[in-house]
Amino acid sequence: MDITRLRGIGVSPGIAMGEALLPRRVIFTSRKEIVADDQVPDELKRLRQALDRTRDDLARIKEGVREKLGPDSSLIFEAHLLILEDPALVAGLEAVIREEKARAEWALSKANTRFEQLFEALADEYFRQRKSDVADVLKRVYRNLETKREKEKAPQKPHVLIAHELLPSEAALRLSRELTLGLAMDMGGQTSHTAILARSLGIPAVLGLRDITRQVREGEFIIVDGTDGEVIINPPPAVRREFQAKKEKYENYGRELQKTAKLKSETLDRVRFIPQANIELPEELGLATSMGAEGVGLFRSEFIYLRRESLPTEEDHFEIYAHLAKGAHPHPVTIRTLDIGGEKSLPQLNIEKEPNPALGLRAVRFSLRNRDLFRIQLRAILRASAGGNVRILVPMITEIDEVLQVKEIFEDVKRELRRKGEAFDEKIPLGIMIEVPAAAALADIMLREVDFISIGTNDLIQYYLAVDRANDFVTYLYKPFHPAVIRLIRSVIHAALKAEKDVVVCGEMAADTPSAILLLGFGLRTFSMNPIFIPRVKKALRSIECRTAEKIAEETLKLRSAQEIEEYVTEEILLRHPQVFLTGQTLEAQPKK
Ligand code: PEP
Ligand code: MG
């Protein structure tokens, strides 16, 4: 048996070992099979029956997903049902059977090719991606043409799922905490919905493997190392043992860490801190709570838009925000208004491509240009705030005028709700993200206008150091410990403390142990991060004296380079509080930038 080791992107940490399961892939026929004249009605009937079965399947799946993951996740199946109901699609399939006297399989294959070409020709990346939705529906119909339909049985025993690509909804359906030991996929990346879902369910996953579906056969033994982004097919016994040991170590360490969820969030010298969660989907709230999150420090609301074919209504927004507010109560939920534009184009609107998207019509700039959309979102957030634990956060503020304009709109929306007699929290805190260096330099002035600030270090570093956070060529320059960066962050935290207003760090710096300790030393108390990193940071902060962190932090101001600072912080921690780094440090997934 050949051993194969493949490298991909580890998107959900942990190690899984087990037999591979490859869901059946439908390959459309390339052969046009002709039928006799009198068989044409039979083919039409076969097609109609397959369409009916597909409709039933989709309705059932939609209900299942709705129950398991909520109404938002089942929307994609609503869209699939609409595709199936399209009279032009059905008429086109029937026409091929009738006119070419061909089998129904050929009609579906032809339709698939036609749609593929159509979608490929589209300029918009999002719409090009939608071809997989149409293909998905056509494949279901194709599979349902088999009369003695060998139904794809739901897997009975634990397995490692190997797939080419999973639509978010398929992922929601196929991934199960009990039976899916691990996931390995040809496609997908760190921020794909499948990745987020795998993390939420605690399923180790490696994506972006390119051709694993061609390299592995059903039933073969597989190791998925989601921590290091590696997949091993047919490992020999020695490798299995090695990974079994790594798995046990990781799981023990995980259990250890999870215990911290129930412990107090305070340092050795009793200074209270607050770990919060950054989430992108409402389904992630459960995971966040189990990891010890004391509220949501950042809800990236753009995913509400990206998951839909059409624009979300006020009710769509409201349902999600109300669900979050209720689920997190009494802890706060911070809802960030739409951070979109530039490269993350809104599929529902025809946004022009910009030459330099990171510096373009992003976030609040987009919201102030599209005030109707902005008002819909603000109304929904306000209505969901009636329970008193919702906060609102505005991204990418560059100058004070933007804050004033947002406040004016916000007040106007409040007046509108009062007129309508809608309940909301009159004291709902309004905050801004500090992620543009200009806003950081003006923090003291900005703070006079808002209730809290949240430092988005991911963008702040990229803009301050002029280093694209997503460009591999320049990652060597992307340095959270750059002396200029830490001085800037320190000054922002101090401005907030002086103004006696809340300050949060919600960028990845809050999730990394040495930088979280540095931030603690600068006076930060609220750290918001991807939920899977909360136990690690909480354990680290519980293992240190705040006094020590303060001393370390002040010393770093004398150093000249990122390397000097990072080494100094790490060494000092090791010297004074070695338990911060104790157990399994190497097994932890590192936060992405
Ligand atoms: C940030 O910029 O640090 C941040 C938290 O926002 P995002 O990563 O969504 O840009
Ligand atoms: Mg940002």
Side-chain angles (χ1 to χ4, degrees):
M1 248 185 289
D2 294 339
I3 311 158
T4 315
R5 294 180 93 121
L6 302 171
R7 285 239 149 247
I9 309 160
V11 298
S12 179
I15 289 161
M17 305 170 84
E19 283 181 14
L21 179 90
L22 285 101
R24 204 143 57 97
R25 268 176 88 179
V26 174
I27 313 279
F28 287 103
T29 183
S30 54
R31 205 162 63 91
K32 180 173 169 183
E33 220 182 303
I34 307 289
V35 294
D37 280 357
D38 60 350
Q39 279 178 345
V40 167
D42 293 342
E43 283 307 306
L44 290 170
K45 194 170 154 205
R46 275 182 75 223
L47 176 69
R48 250 169 262 132
Q49 282 173 342
L51 289 168
D52 287 345
R53 282 195 207 119
T54 308
R55 199 170 300 113
D56 293 349
D57 287 351
L58 284 172
R60 213 181 43 248
I61 295 168
K62 189 179 132 199
E63 256 332 285
V65 171
R66 203 184 145 79
E67 271 168 31
K68 196 157 125 191
L69 292 164
D72 206 40
S73 304
S74 66
L75 274 176
I76 195 107
F77 289 107
E78 188 70 58
H80 284 195
L81 277 165
L82 285 176
I83 296 171
L84 191 68
E85 299 294 341
D86 183 355
L89 173 75
V90 179
L93 293 170
E94 289 181 340
V96 173
I97 297 177
R98 232 182 257 120
E99 286 157 23
E100 300 186 27
K101 301 200 190 336
R103 277 201 175 273
E105 279 84 352
W106 173 250
L108 284 160
S109 174
K110 204 171 165 186
N112 187 55
T113 313
R114 195 166 55 88
F115 278 113
E116 247 174 28
Q117 287 162 349
L118 258 168
F119 278 99
E120 283 302 333
L122 294 175
D124 188 293
E125 174 61 23
Y126 179 85
F127 280 113
R128 251 184 293 135
Q129 292 292 329
R130 301 280 58 76
K131 83 165 189 259
S132 54
D133 284 330
V134 178
D136 200 50
V137 174
L138 294 177
K139 275 179 195 165
R140 273 186 206 286
V141 182
Y142 196 95
R143 196 177 289 158
N144 277 329
L145 279 174
E146 296 168 26
T147 36
K148 266 197 259 126
R149 188 159 52 115
E150 195 193 305
K151 264 211 188 148
E152 202 183 327
K153 285 183 231 109
Q156 303 293 323
K157 52 178 189 180
H159 57 269
V160 174
L161 185 66
I162 313 289
H164 175 66
E165 186 180 20
L166 291 179
L167 289 170
S169 50
E170 275 188 311
L173 200 72
R174 288 195 186 274
L175 297 182
S176 118
R177 227 185 272 270
E178 292 77 35
L179 294 174
T180 321
L181 301 170
L183 169 70
M185 250 166 54
D186 293 340
M187 313 290 283
Q190 193 62 258
T191 52
S192 63
H193 289 260
T194 308
I196 293 167
L197 204 65
R199 279 199 292 273
S200 306
L201 295 169
I203 296 171
V206 179
L207 309 188
L209 287 154
R210 292 166 204 272
D211 64 349
I212 183 156
T213 47
R214 262 191 271 147
Q215 307 236 21
V216 70
R217 278 186 302 266
E218 181 114 1
E220 282 186 314
F221 195 86
I222 301 276
I223 297 177
V224 174
D225 181 346
T227 309
D228 286 339
E230 189 176 24
V231 172
I232 305 165
I233 307 168
N234 293 321
V239 176
R240 278 199 206 194
R241 278 196 301 278
E242 178 198 328
F243 275 85
Q244 185 59 35
K246 194 172 171 185
K247 177 171 151 63
E248 276 160 25
K249 211 162 155 198
Y250 181 84
E251 285 171 1
N252 282 341
Y253 181 56
R255 274 191 289 277
E256 250 334 87
L257 279 182
Q258 277 232 345
K259 284 188 203 151
T260 61
K262 300 207 172 57
L263 303 175
K264 265 196 181 160
S265 302
E266 57 180 34
T267 60
L268 282 181
D269 49 351
R270 297 276 159 90
V271 174
R272 171 100 170 90
F273 62 89
I274 306 173
Q276 290 187 330
N278 290 354
I279 63 173
E280 288 154 3
L281 304 174
E283 297 94 278
E284 291 179 292
L285 186 61
L287 173 80
T289 311
S290 72
M291 292 286 173
E294 297 172 32
V296 175
L298 174 65
F299 176 63
R300 292 181 163 104
S301 69
E302 45 278 13
F303 284 80
I304 301 177
Y305 297 79
L306 294 171
R307 272 179 140 189
R308 278 181 172 68
E309 304 287 318
S310 55
L311 281 169
T313 63
E314 185 181 324
E315 281 318 297
D316 292 333
H317 280 287
F318 173 73
E319 234 182 79
I320 293 167
Y321 304 150
H323 164 84
L324 287 173
K326 196 163 155 236
H329 204 270
H331 298 302
V333 171
T334 310
I335 296 164
R336 180 174 75 183
T337 60
L338 186 59
D339 185 358
I340 210 152
E343 60 200 335
K344 280 194 261 169
S345 81
L346 250 194
Q348 300 92 336
L349 297 174
N350 236 341
I351 301 174
E352 268 180 54
K353 283 244 180 304
E354 294 174 285
N356 206 342
L359 304 181
L361 197 65
R362 263 189 76 177
V364 72
R365 303 170 183 183
F366 176 88
S367 292
L368 288 173
R369 265 287 186 90
N370 295 276
R371 297 196 175 199
D372 291 345
L373 286 184
F374 194 36
R375 290 178 72 101
I376 289 175
Q377 187 172 28
L378 290 177
R379 263 203 304 274
I381 301 175
L382 275 166
R383 284 173 52 211
S385 74
N389 65 331
V390 172
R391 313 196 320 163
I392 189 162
L393 180 62
V394 186
M396 274 284 280
I397 291 287
T398 310
E399 56 173 32
I400 197 78
D401 227 40
E402 289 167 329
V403 182
L404 299 178
Q405 286 183 54
V406 166
K407 282 176 74 175
E408 206 179 294
I409 300 170
F410 196 41
E411 287 310 315
D412 196 50
V413 173
K414 284 185 190 168
R415 277 193 292 274
E416 186 189 333
L417 287 183
R418 277 186 214 109
R419 265 199 312 276
K420 287 188 184 158
E422 296 259 20
F424 66 90
D425 177 10
E426 288 281 354
K427 294 206 190 77
I428 179 172
L430 173 74
I432 55 168
M433 297 269 299
I434 301 289
E435 50 188 349
V436 175
L442 285 181
D444 54 336
I445 292 177
M446 297 281 180
L447 276 155
R448 287 183 212 141
E449 297 297 334
V450 295
D451 301 301
F452 69 99
I453 55 173
S454 187
I455 309 176
T457 53
N458 305 344
D459 277 318
L460 187 60
I461 296 169
Q462 101 159 330
Y463 294 128
Y464 202 34
L465 301 182
V467 178
D468 181 347
R469 66 193 251 194
N471 180 343
D472 282 345
F473 291 116
V474 287
T475 25
Y476 72 98
L477 284 171
Y478 188 99
K479 292 178 179 157
F481 289 100
H482 191 297
V485 170
I486 64 158
R487 282 172 189 225
L488 186 68
I489 293 174
R490 174 180 176 271
S491 74
V492 175
I493 296 172
H494 284 195
L497 296 177
K498 190 158 172 227
E500 295 181 3
K501 301 232 166 131
D502 262 4
V503 51
V504 185
V505 167
C506 64
E508 297 299 333
M509 270 182 90
D512 172 66
T513 307
S515 61
I517 288 175
L518 187 63
L519 294 170
L520 178 81
F522 286 147
L524 186 79
R525 296 294 175 261
T526 312
F527 303 77
S528 194
M529 67 203 86
N530 183 318
I532 61 172
F533 299 119
I534 292 177
R536 178 178 75 183
V537 171
K538 186 166 170 181
K539 175 184 167 284
L541 298 186
R542 278 175 48 84
S543 315
I544 198 161
E545 284 190 345
C546 189
R547 266 192 302 267
T548 315
E550 280 163 12
K551 278 194 206 117
I552 296 175
E554 283 312 303
E555 280 302 308
T556 60
L557 298 174
K558 298 176 190 153
L559 303 174
R560 293 177 315 171
S561 73
Q563 193 185 343
E564 278 175 27
I565 294 173
E566 187 165 9
E567 277 173 13
Y568 174 76
V569 174
T570 314
E571 277 162 22
E572 284 298 303
I573 299 169
L574 275 169
L575 203 66
R576 297 161 189 253
H577 295 291
Q579 63 279 26
V580 163
F581 289 130
L582 229 57
T583 61
Q585 171 75 9
T586 53
L587 296 174
E588 294 163 17
Q590 289 305 311
K592 70 185 162 69
K593 262 168 251 143

